[in-house]
């Protein structure tokens, strides 16, 4: 037998990791209790659920089934703990987190075995990927705890965070959620997935072991309907962080709408794996193995759509089949196994259902000749060819070891196919031509792009989605902002020195009856009194035809109606167009057509913002008079508002080429470019107060970052915004970048918030309106930024002009670029 023959006939022998330490640990503790206030508490219901080993189908343990009474107890414990933990100095928090990281390393083997037993994933993955990344996350965030006071000086913790995690990376998802939360001074109630609670319970032991103060971390096992939903709806929870299906993410968006709870959602994906004809095909084959057969394909960012350049497709598919034939499936604790078990019978059934559907829809299915173990829940690696891009298997997240392949001819076609999905979590690009790969990466709508690599993760580099893959990031500095809020913001009281609320003054000048309204109205009258200085009377007569500003042109409102605008005394001072759904749709279309704005140079965008400021300053007096006329404030106040608006334009012009992102150095030979990208089309409903400054403060950061926008100006005081038409027209701003639709704010906001081609919605108005916007946004999971009815002092630089708006106007894309021959 020669070397080649030996190589080709070589068989792996069994190389099992001992299950005994894991099983003993379980037996000593099962049935498991809940972890509240650093104590093991029996569930209020007295009920337990089974934890099953998916590789055998046999029961591993019984874990407590918490209910809403347990949720109340855990949230109460977290609230008490927050009073201290939230004020604990960063250095002390860092020490605790460092200890957690150390203890994870000390227990790494047990954790790896437990994870494989409970989830069914191969020990090679839990041992070499999941658990080291868990430790890394705590080390990395211990650093941020240490640095919080100096690096995030204007921020405070949010409070109590409810965290709901899935079963595909049980301990890793726990780490992604708990580490940043603790680093920023929050306390946590965590709900693991029903199928995979064991490593979270071992983690709770570590929390006890290192002496983390009671109540800082609480772990509630149980069912979604009992624990998850109660956590989401709990009034004393300040933030929900969720990873799981888009469907549940959408229901959580709806359930939290209007509650003021901060929300981050990491949802599903259907990520493209793009192979150009100059790629190194042997590396590509190994890449595909990692992309779709890692963790049995139960990975939110799995490269589940293989897009291959047509001229190499047959060659690559043939190589893949050979490789698939050699993949080994079986006991997850066997170190030589590539593919473990599917997490549950339900998940297995769902994979089979979708595969059957793929066959019915005409795609060609291929599976290796070997058979899966009959005990436990196994599914073979599966490859579909002849797939049409519109079919179910090309669009739906299968969440199993199933790859669908399609072909393309040109890079442009590759990008189009890649983006032909409602998701946007990740993408992988394979080409030996770095120019081509780096040209394609920014065109892909996804939060993470891997160049000539796939499924790489590190705590330095934020992870999260575009579009219906959710919003918010986990990891990196950007991930920290999910767990803090500005120091000036308070839940209980409105900031001092706020302007008057005029939401309640009807546009026809009629008086409303609630005491709050009367108070606001009284304030307006006071301002009107102060303004009896003649300016209001000296303005020119009304002679303008009310119009919208859409696509760079002034156009008549679709409905042909106008709305009257009154001064605080009830005198008619102007008219604006009465916008309707059609106007909004036209404006969104115009905004999309102007998408080239995002890819223009930042220098050019800065120049245009400066130019808008310059043109505004030429008409400073006129704009000040207009503010006086609408609000009745003093000329001095109005002039200050105009000055602040000009200054704000300067600030965002300045930021345009300075809010640029960073280069991360994760532990790999290479770098990760973290680039803030425009979100796309943003709908903006302006606050009622500060007719010019409120408008400028919102449009400037949005367009500075490359977005195109549809703006609804102050409903009661729209004339400052409509006066801006000419300023915008004469400032070289391309048509369609800013579109302005006047009219009834809440009706128009609803249309924008529900519009599937709008990517984000900002709304500054009453609490009820905020709730409606958040509810409607769930349709395409657009990002929202709302004020929950709280007033903001737009004159204050911290409140009115912070980096917060730049972050709201961007989403970070991390591009991984390994290098070396
Ligand atoms: P879910 O989204 O249902 O579950 C994720 C987590 O949310 C679990 O802890 C679950 O609890 C909990 N949960 C479920 N419903 C609610 C609710 N209404 N309120 C609060 N919490 C809730 O995922 P599944 O486990 O059902 O998997 C279904 C599909 O979701 C998969 O086939 C896959 O396509 C996708 N998925 C995507 C993931 C990702 O990382 N993007 C991860 C997991 C699944 P419980 O376990 O008790 O049901």
């Amino acid at each position: 037998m020669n070397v080649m023959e030996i190589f080709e006939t070589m068989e792996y022998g069994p190389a099992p990791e001992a299950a005994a330490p894991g099983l003993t640990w379980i037996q000593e503790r099962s049935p498991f209790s809940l972890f509240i206030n650093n104590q093991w508490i029996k569930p209020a219901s007295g009920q337990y659920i089974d934890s099953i080993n998916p590789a055998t189908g046999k029961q591993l343990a019984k874990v407590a089934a918490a209910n809403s009474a347990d949720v109340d107890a855990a949230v109460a414990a977290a609230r008490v703990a927050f009073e201290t933990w939230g004020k604990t100095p960063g250095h002390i928090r860092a020490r605790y987190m460092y200890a957690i990281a150390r203890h994870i390393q000390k227990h790494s083997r047990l954790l790896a075995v437990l994870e494989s037993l409970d989830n069914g994933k191969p020990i090679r993955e839990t041992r070499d990927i999941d658990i080291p990344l868990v430790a890394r996350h705590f080390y990395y965030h211990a650093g941020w705890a240490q640095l919080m006071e100096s690096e995030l000086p204007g921020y405070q913790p949010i409070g109590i965070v409810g965290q709901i995690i899935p079963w595909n990376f049980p301990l890793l998802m726990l780490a992604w959620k708990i580490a940043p939360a603790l680093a920023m001074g929050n306390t946590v109630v965590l709900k693991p997935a029903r199928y995979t609670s064991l490593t979270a319970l071992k983690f709770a032991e570590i929390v006890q072991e290192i002496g983390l103060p009671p109540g800082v971390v609480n772990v509630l096992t149980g069912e979604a309907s009992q624990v998850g939903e109660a956590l989401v709806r709990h009034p004393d929870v300040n933030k929900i962080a969720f990873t799981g299906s888009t469907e549940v993410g959408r229901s959580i968006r709806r359930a939290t709408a209007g509650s003021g709870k901060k929300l981050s959602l990491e949802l599903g994906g259907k990520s493209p794996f793009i192979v150009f004809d100059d790629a190194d095909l042997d590396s590509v084959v190994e890449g595909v193995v990692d992309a779709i057969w890692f963790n049995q394909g139960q990975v939110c960012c799995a490269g589940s759509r293989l897009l291959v350049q047509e001229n190499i497709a047959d060659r690559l598919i043939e190589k893949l089949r050979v490789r698939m034939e050699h993949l080994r499936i079986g006991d997850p604790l066997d170190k030589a196994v590539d593919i473990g078990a599917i997490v549950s019978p339900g998940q297995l059934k769902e994979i089979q259902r979708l595969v059957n559907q793929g066959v019915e829809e005409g795609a060609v299915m291929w599976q290796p000749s070997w058979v899966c173990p009959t005990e436990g829940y196994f599914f073979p690696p599966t490859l579909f060819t002849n797939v049409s891009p519109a079919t179910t298997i090309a669009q739906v997240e299968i969440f199993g070891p199933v790859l669908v392949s399609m072909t393309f001819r040109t890079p442009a076609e590759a990008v189009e196919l890649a983006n032909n999905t409602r998701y946007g979590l990740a993408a992988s690009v394979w080409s030996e031509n770095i120019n081509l790969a780096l040209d394609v990466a920014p065109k892909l709508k996804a939060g993470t792009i891997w160049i000539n690599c796939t499924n790489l993760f590190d705590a330095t580099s934020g992870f999260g989605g575009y579009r219906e893959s959710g919003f918010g990031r986990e990891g990196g500095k950007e991930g920290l902002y999910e767990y803090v809020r500005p120091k000036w913001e308070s839940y209980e009281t409105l900031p001092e020195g706020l302007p008057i609320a005029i939401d309640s003054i009807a546009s026809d000048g009629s008086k409303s009856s609630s005491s709050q309204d009367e108070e606001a109205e009284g304030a307006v009258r006071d301002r009107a009194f102060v303004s009896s200085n003649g300016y209001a009377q000296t303005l020119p007569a009304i002679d303008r035809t009310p119009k919208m500003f859409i696509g760079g042109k002034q156009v008549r409102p679709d409905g042909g109606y106008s709305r009257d605008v009154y001064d605080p005394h009830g005198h008619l001072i102007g008219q604006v167009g009465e916008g309707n759904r059609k106007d909004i749709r036209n404006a969104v279309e115009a905004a999309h057509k102007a998408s080239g704005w995002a890819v223009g140079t930042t220098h050019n965008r800065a120049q245009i913002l400066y130019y808008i400021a310059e043109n505004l300053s030429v008409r400073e007096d006129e704009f000040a008079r207009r503010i006086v006329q609408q609000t009745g404030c003093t000329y001095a106040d109005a002039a200050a508002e105009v000055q602040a608006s000009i200054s704000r334009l300067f600030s965002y012009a300045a930021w345009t080429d300075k809010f640029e992102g960073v280069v991360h150095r994760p532990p790999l030979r290479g770098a990760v470019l973290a680039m803030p990208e425009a979100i796309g089309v943003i709908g903006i409903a302006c606050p009622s107060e500060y007719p010019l400054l409120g408008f400028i403060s919102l449009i400037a950061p949005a367009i500075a970052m490359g977005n195109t926008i549809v703006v609804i100006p102050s409903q009661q005081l729209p004339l400052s915004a409509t006066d801006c038409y000419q300023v915008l027209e004469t400032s070289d701003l391309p048509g369609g970048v800013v579109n302005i639709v006047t009219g009834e704010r809440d009706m128009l906001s609803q249309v924008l918030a529900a519009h599937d081609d709008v990517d984000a919605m900002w709304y500054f108005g009453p609490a009820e309106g905020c709730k409606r916007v958040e509810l409607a946004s769930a349709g395409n999971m657009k990002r929202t930024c709302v004020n929950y009815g709280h007033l903001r002092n737009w004159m204050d630089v911290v409140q009115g002009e912070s980096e917060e708006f730049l972050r709201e106007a961007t989403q970070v894309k991390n591009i991984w670029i390994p290098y070396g021959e």
Side-chain angles (χ1 to χ4, degrees), residues 164-168 191-195 222-224 228-229 232 242-245 248 251-252 266-268 300 347 397-399:
I164 300 171
I165 54 172
W167 41 259
N168 54 346
K191 181 212 163 325
R194 171 181 34 143
Y195 300 130
E223 305 269 351
E229 289 181 21
V232 165
F242 171 82
T243 298
S245 60
V248 173
S251 79
I252 292 178
E266 200 265 274
L267 309 175
C300 48
Q347 188 66 21
E397 181 179 44
I398 300 176
F399 228 62

Side-chain angles (χ1 to χ4, degrees), residues 35 85 97 100 104 137-138 141 161-165 170-191 200 203-204 207 212 216-219 241 474 483:
F35 186 68
W85 183 253
M97 296 187 64
I100 292 177
I104 282 164
H137 241 76
F138 279 98
H141 284 94
V161 187
Q163 307 192 310
I164 300 171
I165 54 172
L171 193 63
L172 186 57
M173 289 303 103
L174 172 151
W176 281 23
K177 299 265 178 302
I178 290 188
L182 299 195
M184 296 296 102
N186 303 279
T187 56
V188 165
V189 179
L190 176 105
K191 181 212 163 325
F203 179 82
V207 162
L212 192 72
V216 172
V217 170
N218 305 275
V219 179
E474 297 188 297
Y483 289 96

Side-chain angles (χ1 to χ4, degrees), residues 237-252:
V237 168
N238 306 113
K239 178 200 161 86
I240 294 290
F242 171 82
T243 298
S245 60
T246 295
E247 196 189 325
V248 173
R250 189 171 281 124
S251 79
I252 292 178

